[in-house]
Amino acid sequence: QYPGTKLAVTEFNYGGTTHISGAIALADVLGIFGRYGVYFSSLWGDLTGYVASAYRMYRNYDGNGGKFGDLSVRATTSDIPHTSIHAALWSNGPGTLHIIAIDRCFHQSVIGQFVITSDIHFASAGVYALGSGSTQILALPGLPSIQGNQFSYDLAPMTVYHFVVSASPADVE
């Protein structure tokens, strides 16, 4: 009866302000909300610790206002029990692909094999991570060269990654 009504999820809370599991749960659900077009969501409780850092992975991953894209793109994983992946571009320009990759394993790393199916040739990536040692998002050494829109990355246990994948200059112009 109400065409155009948008979906909202209000007053949710996964806890975990003092443990990386809270950041992992929140980072995953935020990606799911984006994938399925949730228009609005609101956290119930304090925005502190790992929970605040999970939001920053999407809204200020680099400390300079860097944000996850606003146009969800298809992203899948072959290891659903241990990993999640979410991806987005900016609707005002396809030059940067944002990928959130999550390793939920408690004790082992996962080698992520990333394959980007696009006519755009992606050339390099910045890497940011949030892990169990601190609520601080760390800038890690990036990927200076991506060949054939594919790369591998060792995802540490219980860690959320934000890859900022840049198109080659020829594809942006």
Side-chain angles (χ1 to χ4, degrees):
Q1 301 262 350
Y2 300 100
T5 300
K6 298 184 187 214
L7 181 63
V9 178
T10 61
E11 299 182 5
F12 73 94
N13 188 330
Y14 290 109
T17 60
T18 62
H19 192 269
I20 187 62
S21 63
I24 288 171
L26 183 57
D28 201 10
V29 80
L30 291 174
I32 292 166
F33 288 169
R35 177 181 300 150
Y36 292 105
V38 172
Y39 181 73
F40 173 83
S41 67
S42 60
L43 178 74
W44 178 262
D46 295 331
L47 187 58
T48 61
Y50 281 100
V51 171
S53 296
Y55 274 104
R56 283 195 302 274
M57 288 299 282
Y58 285 92
R59 303 295 298 163
N60 190 17
Y61 59 85
D62 60 0
N64 293 311
K67 296 176 185 162
F68 193 70
D70 65 348
L71 180 63
S72 179
V73 296
R74 186 172 184 267
T76 60
T77 176
S78 61
D79 189 1
I80 293 169
H82 299 119
T83 63
S84 292
I85 188 165
H86 308 285
L89 296 166
W90 280 102
S91 56
N92 63 355
T96 304
L97 173 66
H98 294 268
I99 300 171
I100 298 288
I102 302 169
D103 180 352
R104 292 188 289 261
C105 292
F106 282 103
H107 302 293
Q108 74 181 48
S109 62
V110 172
I111 304 296
Q113 303 290 336
F114 296 83
V115 178
I116 302 167
T117 305
S118 175
D119 292 335
I120 298 168
H121 296 96
F122 290 93
S124 62
V127 182
Y128 299 85
L130 173 62
S132 61
S134 168
T135 60
Q136 185 77 23
I137 297 171
L138 302 175
L140 302 179
L143 303 168
S145 178
I146 294 174
Q147 302 298 317
N149 279 358
Q150 298 183 36
F151 65 93
S152 297
Y153 202 88
D154 186 8
L155 305 173
M158 299 297 284
T159 303
V160 179
Y161 291 87
H162 186 143
F163 295 91
V164 183
V165 189
S166 300
S168 63
D171 282 321
V172 179
E173 296 173 0

